[in-house]
Amino acid sequence: MSAWASWTARVLVIVGLAVLIGWPLAATIVEAVGVAETASDSSGGLDPAATAAVVAESGGLARPARLAFETVLLAVASEALALPVGVALALLLFRTDVWGRRPLLFLLGLAAFIPLPLHATAWLGAFGNAGRMQAIGVQPILVGRLGVAVITALAALPWVVLLSGIGLRLVEPELEEGALLDWPAWRVWLGVTLRRSLGAVAASALAVAVLAAGDMTVTDLLQVRTYAEEAYVQFTLGNGPASAAAVAIPPLLVLGTVVLVVCRSLARHAPRRLASAFERSKTWRLGRWRVPLGIFLVALVGNIVALPLYSLIWRAGRVGGRATLGKPPTWSLAGLGGSLRFAFEESVEPLTTSVILSLGAATLTVMLAWAICWLSRASRGWQALTLGVVALTLAAPGPVVGMALLLAYRTVDWVYDSPLIVVFAMSVRALPYAILILWPFLRSLPTEVFEAAAMDGVGPIGEVFCIAIPLSRRATLAAWAVAFVLSLGELPATNLITPPGTQTISLLIWSLLHTGVESHLAAVALVTLAAIAAAGLIAVWLLQRAVARPRD
């Protein structure tokens, strides 16, 4: 029975990967190559003339070189802004007794659940071209490359803190205690704590960089041409798979190779944890610095969250005014209430749709990610497959994912014309991040526990349900929460494939963003933030359960 169940599980995992990744990839290749035989049809495929028009830019640099420069610059800038601050915050909030750490972790958890289109709405409305900074009467700050890098880094910062913090919590207490006998505390932090957490820090850095390189939400608004943005533009213009492939294949190959090498290195060098890593880790005492440092962190994190919120409230309350008479709108509490009531009526249906679809996508993602990570523990073949899945899904820009799913299921009406295709897109986009969270946890499960269980006659199925799942339940909940958040804010892929009659909150905000951040969009953003905050109470609790909290 155990052997039959084990093989059934393997088959289900392979089928799931084929449905989400294998067949869309094959359909895209078949479509692009097939049109090479019918080059006279300019509606799609690998038409040499169309490809040449995309690849070459007359009178300047080759387009691939320019797109590569913009993409790499954006990824590096986002990492430079988010990674140092995020790791420092993770070390303080997860491993010290700094004052206010739990409310700050809760606030960062809620901030992590804000979709990127909503980040763009808030920050561009406060400091960008969309708002023109009317509140203080100065020129926009968040424009061009700087604006994209800052907004992407701010959106990614909570994830750097949370993902790095999980790794920091898994450092074995006895290693730090032993090092303290010979080294001062700061050397223990650098030589033991951070060193044992490099896998989690590197995973969060990789996730942020690829997320920045594969998204087109902010780049489209600020007119910064990256590979993801160009693929989106080419496909929406009706140029078909040929033009999209011309700008998507080069970074897919290069970035996929980089991701594969990094993931392979992490898989080889990730440390095997002692059993004590799953107990409470050491809490570093800050002494007299505990309260002053906590006040500084509250001011820093609080302002990062509050500044765009103030802007949205100010804009949502600005009503009235007549442009023909040169009379500007004025702010009032009654105007704010009216804007919120109207926005609530408009937002209920798309927000409910987004939550339902994200619940299904997160569940499907975590089931598939957990199974493939577990099978990879003892099989090099499954390890290679897992690395390939992570590399491919991380390297593929969001618009390319949407295009691939569209080509794969355009003849399957019950998928193509239903919200199921949106769930597929959300799952593909969230899958690598769930794997990046679950793989280190499942790899680090102490082997002596399974050896003792095998001696007691526990079979493979018993190991999964009686040992592995209970020991990894916190990591599984964290992976589910991450997949839910990413699905809730997914736009680049779903924007291309959402069927008529289905509207998510991201699509609503995206359509309104192109008209500027005025009172209506600001009110919709506030309603969405309130709903996310309410639902996020449960999600943040799950994330807190995913890591052992510091002892007082």
Side-chain angles (χ1 to χ4, degrees), residues 79 82-83 85-87 89-90 94 105 107-116 119 151-167 200-209 211-212 430 433-434 437 477-489 532 539-540 543 546:
E79 291 285 4
L83 198 60
V85 177
V87 174
L89 283 174
F94 280 85
L105 282 173
L107 188 62
L108 285 169
L110 288 181
F113 280 76
I114 300 176
L116 191 54
H119 275 285
I151 294 173
T152 303
L154 289 171
L157 181 62
W159 292 113
V160 176
V161 175
L162 296 174
L163 296 178
S164 300
I166 291 174
V201 174
S204 66
L206 178 63
V208 171
L211 181 63
Y433 300 97
I437 294 173
L477 291 173
W480 187 92
V482 169
F484 177 82
V485 174
L486 294 175
S487 299
L488 193 63
I532 290 175
V540 171
L543 285 171

Side-chain angles (χ1 to χ4, degrees), residues 42-45 234-245 403:
S42 61
S43 62
Q234 292 298 325
F235 194 78
T236 54
L237 289 177
N239 293 334
S243 297
M403 178 191 69

Side-chain angles (χ1 to χ4, degrees), residues 436-451:
L436 287 173
I437 294 173
L438 289 171
W439 196 347
F441 273 91
L442 293 180
R443 276 178 54 84
S444 62
L445 292 178
T447 56
E448 57 267 24
V449 176
F450 296 99
E451 292 173 355

Side-chain angles (χ1 to χ4, degrees), residues 404-422:
L405 288 168
L406 185 148
L407 294 174
Y409 295 106
R410 58 186 173 181
T411 59
V412 185
D413 294 340
W414 60 275
V415 176
Y416 181 77
D417 293 328
S418 75
L420 184 60
I421 195 170
V422 180

Side-chain angles (χ1 to χ4, degrees), residues 90-135:
L91 190 60
L92 290 172
L93 296 178
F94 280 85
R95 295 302 311 275
T96 73
D97 64 341
V98 66
W99 178 80
R101 66 185 184 275
R102 291 177 181 174
L104 285 174
L105 282 173
F106 176 78
L107 188 62
L108 285 169
L110 288 181
F113 280 76
I114 300 176
L116 191 54
L118 212 54
H119 275 285
T121 302
W123 286 106
L124 292 179
F127 302 105
N129 280 328
R132 301 280 177 192
M133 297 182 65
Q134 297 163 346

